[in-house]
Structures are given as C-alpha cells and as structure tokens.
Amino acid sequence: MTIHTTTDAPTRNLLDDQTTYDPNRLLDALIEKSHLKNDAALARLLEVAPPVISKIRHRRLPIGATLLISMHEVSGLTITELRALMGDQRKKFSGSTA
C-alpha cells in the first residue's frame, strides 16, 4: 500500500514543468528571427552580458520579466508567443517584489 502525502503532488508538478520548459527553443528562435550568428550577438542585441545567455541556456538563471520584455521589444513577438516558445504554459503568474 502506497501512501501519498500532500508534498508528493507539488514535487510531481515541478518535475512536469521542467520537462516542457526549454529556454533554448526561445533563444534559438530569437537568434534565427533576428538573423544573428550566435549567443554573443543575441546578448548584444538584448543588452545583457554574454554569461546571462549562457546561464539561461544551462538553466541556472530563469528568464526574468525585464529580459522577457526586452525580447518582446527586439523581436516583435508577443509575451504570450515568447512564453510559448520556451514551453511556459502557465495560465496565471505570481508577481515578485524582489
């Protein structure tokens, strides 16, 4: 007999989110749409340091709201389209005061 505690469900949901979330799809799409050669050129376009793009690719840094807005401004894609490219399918978001 298996007993599931209330902590099992959130853990499963986090794992499910990580299997569909892929920021590389978004970064690759922006590079292609902007006719750029590499991540360094994308970093220049977005006015961020190249290690920021690397950290996003290696999932050590999430794509924050400010960067998402910059991506929208340079690409012309909607925020919804950008989120869909990276696999973010959440319907609601919680704001951060940090």
Side-chain angles (χ1 to χ4, degrees):
M1 179 174 165
T2 304
I3 299 174
H4 295 282
T5 63
T6 57
T7 59
D8 288 346
T11 302
R12 251 184 274 118
N13 289 340
L14 288 174
L15 293 175
D16 290 344
D17 289 345
Q18 289 177 352
T19 58
T20 58
Y21 172 74
D22 184 4
N24 293 319
R25 286 192 309 247
L26 173 57
L27 297 175
D28 292 342
L30 290 172
I31 287 171
E32 184 177 332
K33 181 170 178 56
S34 301
H35 306 288
L36 302 173
K37 290 186 177 186
N38 53 36
D39 286 351
L42 180 61
R44 285 191 296 276
L45 180 68
L46 295 173
E47 298 179 358
V48 298
V52 170
I53 302 299
S54 177
K55 287 177 183 177
I56 290 170
R57 281 210 185 268
H58 293 94
R59 298 183 186 198
R60 291 190 307 258
L61 183 69
I63 297 175
T66 303
L67 186 55
L68 195 61
I69 290 169
S70 294
M71 290 174 172
H72 158 68
E73 290 172 347
V74 301
S75 71
L77 296 170
T78 67
I79 299 295
T80 303
E81 291 170 325
L82 293 169
R83 288 180 46 235
L85 279 169
M86 68 178 150
D88 186 350
Q89 300 174 2
R90 296 175 291 172
K91 301 291 184 211
K92 293 185 180 183
F93 298 93
S94 61
S96 172
T97 58

